[in-house]
Amino acid sequence: MTARVGPPSLLFVGGASPLPSSVHLATEMLTQARARGIETHLVNKAEVLESTREVCELADAVHALDPDRPEDCVRWARDRAAEGLHFDAVLGLRDPVQFSAAELTGVFGAAGNPVDAVRRVRNKDACREALAAAGFRQPSVWLCSDLDDAARALRESAGPWVVKPRDGLGSIGVRLVTGPEDLARAVDELPTQDPFLVEEFVTGPEFSVEGVFVGGGAKVLAITAKEKLPPPYFVELGHVLPAELPEETRKEIDQEVTAALDALDLRFGVFHVELWLTQDGVVLGEVHARPGGDWLHRLLTYAIPGLEFFGPVFDDLLGRPPGPLPVATRAAAVRFLAPPPGRLLRIDGWERVASHPAVLYAGLFVEPGGVIRPVRDSGDRAGVVVVGAETPARALELAAELARSVEFEVEPADGA
């Protein structure tokens, strides 16, 4: 057998979306790969490549290909493999591209997550079933095709419940249901007519776990505490990292999450796992084989000095002996702005917030003349402030304080 000649190579499936957080994350990943001599090829839709040029310029090669169409990706990969192109690893950083990344992993015989594992975690009910079968606490869930199915689920359980898409993101179409009178509206607000889920509502504070896979096993980097707007919607308003938890609870979460990822057969890249702390212990939520959104990667790299988020993954790929992962010695928080709905007339105080020395990133998603909608999913939030501080309590306090100092003057408007 002839050894392959050339540097190690990575196929980056899906690149970045035009969102600033996605561009920043992809930039970090490609920069850390390049620093280790890894050759990178990026595939994404032609129109997205055009709008994310700063990301494309960091890759060694760019290919126009729709990463949301696994069948097209497989045909492209087989043609490239027949031409002698090879990749040592395949990685995607966004949920919609995980199927394609897994398929390409198989075509190239590369390091990556298996297709069955990705399919399992992308379908929330399948993931629930797999985790429950493996002995992990899970909320009850019903797969429904229509309103009648959903009404049947309500009759079979005590409630309250959550209606959500089977495969969704950004809290789109996720709504609390407290009784039959709420159900029709929740179903109407789903983004598609596809089968959907009715899930048992879990009571308890929510957290997420951020980490990497090294040597085929999951390693926790940090636990994040999250805050959401009041129901009936479940939009995240803020995060603080690391979460202030007793050491015993931290160990319990670490053990539960790493064991669950092993049971689900995820083994490559980075992960983001959501969970609740209940009276009975940890109840696992959604599992993602990609980084958390909402600038969580920036919270990580500030709170853990010296951390290169993708560094341990790439060093492992290169066969470098794993060293101890750095730990959090500082803290960071993110706060989203959710002003009253209406037509925006004026914003006061933003310049002062954006120039604050503790701010790591600040961005507005609205401008005067535009309409601020009621916050029903992540895309309805009006802005974001990311801060660093010495302690979680101070980071949380500062982020909230800065967010409150921004004043939005609005007037009634259609569509708000």
Side-chain angles (χ1 to χ4, degrees), residues 34-35 38 55 67 110 114 118 138 158 205 209 224 230 241 260 275 285 288 295 327 344 375 377 382 396 405:
R34 173 171 285 188
I38 298 174
V55 174
V118 169
Q138 287 287 274
V209 179
T224 307
L241 182 158
L275 59 89
H288 302 279
W295 291 93
V327 299
L344 180 61
V375 180
D377 60 58
L396 192 62
S405 72

Side-chain angles (χ1 to χ4, degrees), residues 355-380:
S355 62
H356 192 284
V359 168
L360 306 175
Y361 176 82
L364 280 174
F365 313 143
V366 295
E367 57 185 20
V371 173
I372 298 174
R373 302 189 302 270
V375 180
R376 296 183 177 179
D377 60 58
S378 297
D380 293 329

Side-chain angles (χ1 to χ4, degrees), residues 11-19 21-27 29-30 41-45 48-49 52 55-56 59 62-63 65 67 91-95 97-98 291:
L11 181 58
F12 182 19
V13 181
S17 78
L19 292 174
S21 58
S22 182
V23 169
H24 188 274
L25 178 65
T27 297
M29 192 276 284
L30 288 166
H41 287 233
L42 186 156
V43 299
N44 208 344
K45 298 176 185 177
V48 182
L49 294 175
T52 55
V55 174
C56 298
V62 175
H63 311 271
L65 180 68
L91 185 63
L93 303 184
R94 299 184 288 115
D95 272 334
V97 307
Q98 296 301 322

Side-chain angles (χ1 to χ4, degrees), residues 32 57 297:
Q32 291 163 24
E57 288 171 359
H297 70 281

Side-chain angles (χ1 to χ4, degrees), residues 66-114:
D66 188 348
D68 297 337
R69 296 177 59 84
E71 63 278 9
D72 291 351
C73 292
V74 168
R75 282 194 294 270
W76 174 87
R78 287 174 177 163
D79 289 344
R80 301 293 82 73
E83 295 170 356
L85 189 62
H86 171 84
F87 294 99
D88 296 288
V90 179
L91 185 63
L93 303 184
R94 299 184 288 115
D95 272 334
V97 307
Q98 296 301 322
F99 283 128
S100 292
E103 293 281 8
L104 297 177
T105 292
V107 172
F108 290 111
N113 287 308

Side-chain angles (χ1 to χ4, degrees), residues 220-307:
V220 171
L221 292 171
I223 300 170
T224 307
K226 63 174 63 180
E227 179 184 351
K228 293 189 173 183
L229 289 170
Y233 302 101
F234 293 89
V235 183
E236 291 171 349
L237 183 64
H239 308 270
V240 61
L241 182 158
E244 293 191 291
L245 292 167
E247 186 60 26
E248 182 179 341
T249 303
R250 192 180 305 278
K251 288 180 178 178
E252 179 189 1
I253 291 174
D254 189 313
Q255 292 170 0
E256 195 82 354
V257 167
T258 54
L261 291 166
D262 184 58
L264 292 169
D265 200 26
L266 293 173
R267 61 180 78 143
F268 182 76
V270 301
F271 62 83
H272 170 74
V273 178
E274 299 172 349
L275 59 89
W276 299 270
L277 278 181
T278 72
Q279 292 181 342
D280 297 323
V282 174
V283 176
L284 295 171
E286 294 180 8
V287 176
H288 302 279
R290 48 84 174 162
D294 285 358
W295 291 93
L296 290 183
H297 70 281
R298 188 66 186 95
L299 303 191
L300 268 175
T301 53
Y302 181 86
I304 307 177
L307 173 69

